């Protein structure tokens, strides 16, 4: 039983790391969008594969726990929640790339005019995400 709870803690820690990576990706993408800084765009692009890799690792850990331990009640709900949150965080990473996408990777400046609403929405979303993740601590 101790090993099972250690594995649950490891799963939670990986999810928290992924949440931090997704949050950083959004922050960087908004900065890249606002400033049109190609070096920040590149950071967003380079971080996304790490988020994807972590998503696969977390999914595998969760599925292994479901298959091997057959958890019940609160542990089952926790693992199922991790699977859903994990998928959402991976999408956040994808969207961070999409937000910074108007900054092309070929060195040219984008032709669009940044909207002031995007950074405001990002701040609101980051706040809600932080509240949600705080529930895991």
């Amino acid at each position: 039983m101790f090993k099972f709870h250690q594995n649950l803690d490891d799963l939670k820690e990986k999810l928290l790391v992924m949440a931090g990576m997704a949050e950083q990706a959004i922050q960087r993408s908004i900065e890249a969008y606002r400033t049109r800084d190609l070096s920040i765009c590149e950071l967003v692009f380079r971080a996304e594969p790490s988020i994807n890799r972590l998503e696969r690792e977390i999914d595998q850990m969760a599925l292994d726990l479901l298959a091997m331990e057959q958890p019940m009640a609160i542990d089952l709900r926790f693992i199922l929640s991790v699977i859903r949150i994990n998928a959402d965080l991976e999408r956040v990473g994808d969207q961070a790339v999409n937000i910074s996408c108007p900054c092309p990777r070929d060195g040219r400046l984008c032709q669009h005019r940044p909207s002031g609403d995007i950074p405001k929405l990002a701040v609101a979303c980051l706040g809600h995400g932080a509240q949600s993740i705080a529930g895991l601590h």
Side-chain angles (χ1 to χ4, degrees):
M1 193 59 133
F2 173 75
K3 177 90 168 131
F4 173 68
H5 287 291
Q6 180 60 48
N7 288 339
L8 285 178
D9 287 343
D10 292 346
L11 184 64
K12 180 172 93 171
E13 285 304 312
K14 274 196 186 257
L15 188 69
L16 290 171
V17 167
M18 186 175 177
M21 291 170 67
E23 180 180 19
Q24 184 179 54
I26 288 292
Q27 290 170 338
R28 285 178 173 168
S29 69
I30 294 303
E31 185 64 17
Y33 179 84
R34 196 175 54 70
T35 64
R36 299 181 185 187
D37 186 331
L38 296 176
S39 64
I40 299 173
C41 290
E42 192 61 35
L43 289 174
V44 175
F45 282 109
R46 278 193 257 134
E48 209 266 334
S50 297
I51 293 172
N52 291 344
R53 179 186 44 76
L54 204 49
E55 187 245 351
R56 289 188 301 273
E57 288 176 17
I58 291 168
D59 261 359
Q60 190 59 54
M61 285 177 70
L63 293 174
D64 288 348
L65 283 170
L66 288 173
M68 305 299 243
E69 301 294 338
Q70 300 175 355
M72 299 178 76
I74 195 165
D75 295 330
L76 177 61
R77 287 190 295 274
F78 173 75
I79 294 170
L80 293 176
S81 295
V82 164
I83 291 170
R84 295 185 80 180
I85 293 167
N86 186 41
D88 288 342
L89 289 173
E90 192 278 330
R91 277 190 229 108
V92 167
D94 292 344
Q95 293 306 313
V97 170
N98 292 339
I99 291 167
S100 66
C101 193
C103 297
R105 298 177 74 185
D106 63 4
R108 294 178 310 184
L109 287 177
C110 31
Q111 300 301 315
H112 79 289
R113 182 182 171 128
S115 166
D117 292 338
I118 300 281
K120 290 176 190 173
L121 288 170
V123 168
C125 290
L126 287 171
H128 291 300
Q131 288 175 345
S132 298
I133 293 301
L136 288 174
H137 287 291

